Amino acid sequence: MASIKSLLSGFLLLAGAAQALKFDLEATSSYHGNQRRCIRNFVNRDTLVVVTATLDGYKGDGMNVNMHISDSHGNEYGKAKDIAGEQRIVFTSHHDAAFDVCFENHLTGSKYVENPRRHVELDIDIGADAKDWSAIQATEKLKPLETDLRRIEEMVGEVVSEMDYLRAREQKLRDTNESTNNRVKWFGMATTFLLIVLWGWQIMYLRAYFRSKHLI
């Protein structure tokens, strides 16, 4: 039993490795337009996503940071303006698509800023990692080992779903490739046939022309 627990703990430690991204967000004035810093990730359809951004600074420090989340299909999942401290946005994806978490940092001009930048720590949890397993354990009265097994089951299911998606996408690309090859083949055959017909017509036309001129 102890070996199973240690094995599960090791698996969860590797699977739930920190995805936090840390970077500095430079502030720009309105004269330079909107300069966005975006982080892209991929998510399957109907998947829970929790985006947590932690910023230093405070409201009214001369900088205004906005956060915007949208996917490649044009779906918007959240907008937060003038954020500071911790900001969390939770959403469920509508498509198998990439989504962008974008930040903008503008100087408000209300005060002088010696170091015009905000430090951002971004954490994106997707699928099983986005769920509150402590709350699930308490609600369903699960044992710790049962909770770990439940979480691993969902994570394995997500991997299988992603593999199925990649397999379907590969099949679609293969079908598109075969369809394109068939179209190219038929186009080549049609072009060759037209060239043969044109060549025959030219021969007949020239022969009739030379005969009318009594050259042959």
Side-chain angles (χ1 to χ4, degrees):
M1 182 66 69
S3 60
I4 295 178
K5 288 184 177 180
S6 62
L7 181 61
L8 291 178
S9 299
F11 180 83
L12 291 174
L13 182 62
L14 290 175
Q19 299 182 14
L21 177 65
K22 300 178 180 180
F23 57 92
D24 290 329
L25 187 64
E26 298 284 346
T28 59
S29 63
S30 58
Y31 299 103
H32 295 87
N34 293 333
Q35 295 185 7
R36 287 188 171 187
R37 176 79 177 271
C38 296
I39 292 85
R40 174 165 292 185
N41 211 327
F42 183 85
V43 67
N44 293 322
R45 183 175 182 176
D46 297 328
T47 301
L48 178 66
V49 180
V50 178
V51 178
T52 306
T54 305
L55 292 79
D56 62 356
Y58 56 92
K59 293 184 178 181
D61 62 355
M63 291 179 287
N64 191 333
V65 178
N66 302 324
M67 181 170 68
H68 179 214
I69 303 177
S70 61
D71 65 13
S72 56
H73 289 268
N75 298 303
E76 294 189 357
Y77 295 113
K79 286 184 178 180
K81 296 184 178 181
D82 194 15
I83 61 176
E86 183 177 297
Q87 179 71 38
R88 178 171 296 178
I89 296 179
V90 182
F91 65 90
T92 301
S93 58
H94 300 328
H95 299 278
D96 296 324
F99 68 93
D100 294 324
V101 182
C102 298
F103 295 90
E104 298 175 349
N105 189 4
H106 301 289
L107 292 171
T108 62
S110 60
K111 60 186 300 185
Y112 172 74
V113 182
E114 182 177 358
N115 187 17
R117 67 182 61 186
R118 288 274 191 91
H119 182 73
V120 181
E121 182 174 339
L122 179 64
D123 191 12
I124 301 176
D125 294 317
I126 300 174
D129 291 332
K131 293 185 177 180
D132 188 351
W133 289 101
S134 298
I136 294 176
Q137 180 180 355
T139 302
E140 301 185 13
K141 299 180 180 180
L142 300 175
K143 297 179 180 179
L145 183 59
E146 292 175 336
T147 305
D148 292 341
L149 287 173
R150 176 88 168 272
R151 182 179 177 185
I152 290 175
E153 181 182 5
E154 292 202 13
M155 294 175 68
V156 171
E158 290 174 3
V159 173
V160 172
S161 298
E162 187 170 354
M163 293 298 295
D164 290 339
Y165 168 76
L166 292 175
R167 190 180 298 111
R169 186 175 181 180
E170 180 184 4
Q171 181 64 39
K172 183 178 180 180
L173 291 175
R174 186 184 299 113
D175 293 342
T176 302
N177 188 36
E178 291 178 356
S179 176
T180 302
N181 289 337
N182 288 331
R183 291 180 181 180
V184 171
K185 180 182 69 175
W186 286 109
F187 177 77
M189 293 176 62
T191 302
T192 303
F193 176 75
L194 289 175
L195 290 176
I196 292 174
V197 171
L198 180 61
W199 174 75
W201 177 81
Q202 287 178 336
I203 294 296
M204 295 176 61
Y205 174 80
L206 291 175
R207 181 178 296 178
Y209 175 78
F210 289 140
R211 282 179 179 178
S212 65
K213 298 298 183 179
H214 303 288
L215 295 177
I216 56 175

